[in-house]
Amino acid sequence: MARKIVIANQKGGVGKTTTAINLSASVAAAEFKTLLIDIDPQSNSTSGIGIENYKLSVYQALIGLENAEDCIINTYMPHLDIIPSTIDLVGAEIELVSMEEREYLLKKAVATIESRYDFIFIDCPPSLGLLTLNALTCADSVLIPVQCEYFALEGLGQLLNTINIVKKNLNNDLSIEGVLLTMFDTRLRLSHQVVEEVKKYFGTKVFQTIIHRNVRLSEAPSHSKPVILYDASSVGAQNYITLASELIQRNNLEQKSKVN
């Protein structure tokens, strides 16, 4: 059964979608069957992984118009599939309000396909609305990207409170997979200070791997590729390969292939 991990932070610009794309690609490169679900109406994970001209999306699966299986698209990476997003999700939050068991719609859709995969990653919108709520109700755990900048911890209390509410009322098994420090700049004292603060606050929940600021990592989406395919030797690619290895070890899984 798949390990379902939501990548969430209602604060924008923290590296959430960058992590969704590159972590899922790096785990797939290690030969784990991986599904990326893009539930963000901006569809950046979808375009960033090179998917276009598709008819079915997570929207149809979410509101029950199509089976989730029919919405899956195979990517150009052998072990990586995606259920793409669409702008139609913008209005989905309003549609979901009147639906029965509206918080469980994604969970029901994913239940029909999760046995196919080792990992399922869900990229959420930068908000704590019904789409993110569906993702949290569906998931086993939450991976929280935190940027190494001045307002790093701002809003995290609200996210943690939401996670606790979901855990108490909708998904008893929900846990924090880990906190990922992103956009680290070795030249800045502030980056080092933020690392210390986050580690002091979250302790062992913080991943040892830190994602550095990297030009190749920023360029990769414009080429519709994960950085591991755009420039595998770059710092950004190596960071996410290391993160994938750490995640696999945290879940007590044996690495199937070593990615260099």
Side-chain angles (χ1 to χ4, degrees):
M1 197 68 74
R3 177 73 175 172
K4 301 182 292 295
I5 301 174
V6 169
I7 300 170
N9 191 331
Q10 81 273 20
K11 187 174 170 59
V14 300
K16 181 180 57 63
T17 296
T18 298
T19 296
I21 294 169
N22 293 295
L23 179 56
S24 59
S26 297
V27 169
E31 297 185 3
F32 287 91
K33 292 179 181 178
T34 307
L35 175 66
L36 174 58
I37 300 176
D38 187 357
I39 201 170
D40 185 347
Q42 296 176 82
S43 308
N44 290 333
S45 279
T46 302
S47 60
I49 218 147
I51 303 300
E52 54 186 26
N53 300 324
Y54 51 92
K55 292 183 179 179
L56 300 180
S57 70
V58 71
Y59 171 76
Q60 283 87 356
L62 195 63
I63 65 172
L65 289 177
E66 299 286 346
N67 295 323
E69 179 181 3
D70 297 326
C71 301
I72 296 170
I73 297 175
N74 305 122
T75 72
Y76 39 71
M77 293 187 70
H79 300 283
L80 179 61
D81 295 339
I82 185 170
I83 296 181
S85 176
T86 171
I87 195 66
D88 291 339
L89 281 174
V90 169
E93 299 238 9
I94 298 170
E95 291 182 60
L96 295 181
V97 169
S98 60
M99 297 182 74
E100 288 186 16
E101 297 191 306
R102 60 193 180 193
E103 299 91 353
Y104 294 94
L105 297 175
L106 184 63
K107 182 175 183 177
K108 288 178 181 177
V110 170
T112 62
I113 56 171
E114 61 180 303
S115 60
R116 298 181 179 195
Y117 297 98
D118 298 307
F119 285 94
I120 295 176
F121 295 99
I122 307 172
D123 184 23
C124 294
S127 67
L128 295 176
L130 265 175
L131 294 175
T132 298
L133 198 58
N134 261 270
L136 293 173
T137 303
C138 172
D140 298 308
S141 61
V142 190
L143 189 156
I144 307 171
V146 176
Q147 82 280 30
C148 296
E149 295 179 359
Y150 185 72
F151 294 113
L153 297 175
E154 188 181 69
L156 272 185
Q158 188 181 358
L159 175 61
L160 294 174
N161 187 48
T162 299
I163 291 170
N164 287 331
I165 291 170
V166 171
K167 183 177 175 66
K168 183 178 179 181
N169 298 295
L170 299 169
N171 182 0
N172 293 332
D173 298 324
L174 187 64
S175 63
I176 294 177
E177 185 71 38
V179 176
L180 176 66
L181 290 156
T182 64
M183 304 179 190
F184 181 81
D185 190 332
T186 54
R187 301 165 300 177
L188 299 179
R189 181 195 292 181
L190 177 61
S191 285
H192 295 276
Q193 290 173 338
V194 171
V195 170
E196 289 178 17
E197 283 296 314
V198 172
K199 286 184 174 179
K200 190 186 299 181
Y201 191 81
F202 289 101
T204 57
K205 286 292 183 184
V206 181
F207 284 100
Q208 291 180 11
T209 306
I210 295 176
I211 309 301
H212 292 67
R213 281 195 180 277
N214 179 246
V215 173
R216 292 300 196 203
L217 196 55
S218 301
E219 290 174 347
S222 66
H223 294 268
S224 301
K225 292 180 179 179
V227 70
I228 194 174
L229 295 184
Y230 177 61
D231 186 350
S233 64
S234 67
V235 170
Q238 293 302 313
N239 284 167
Y240 277 106
I241 289 167
T242 304
L243 176 64
S245 296
E246 187 177 350
L247 180 70
I248 290 162
Q249 289 169 5
R250 280 193 177 201
N251 284 279
N252 299 314
L253 297 171
E254 187 176 336
Q255 189 106 356
K256 297 184 181 182
S257 74
K258 187 171 177 61
V259 183
N260 294 312

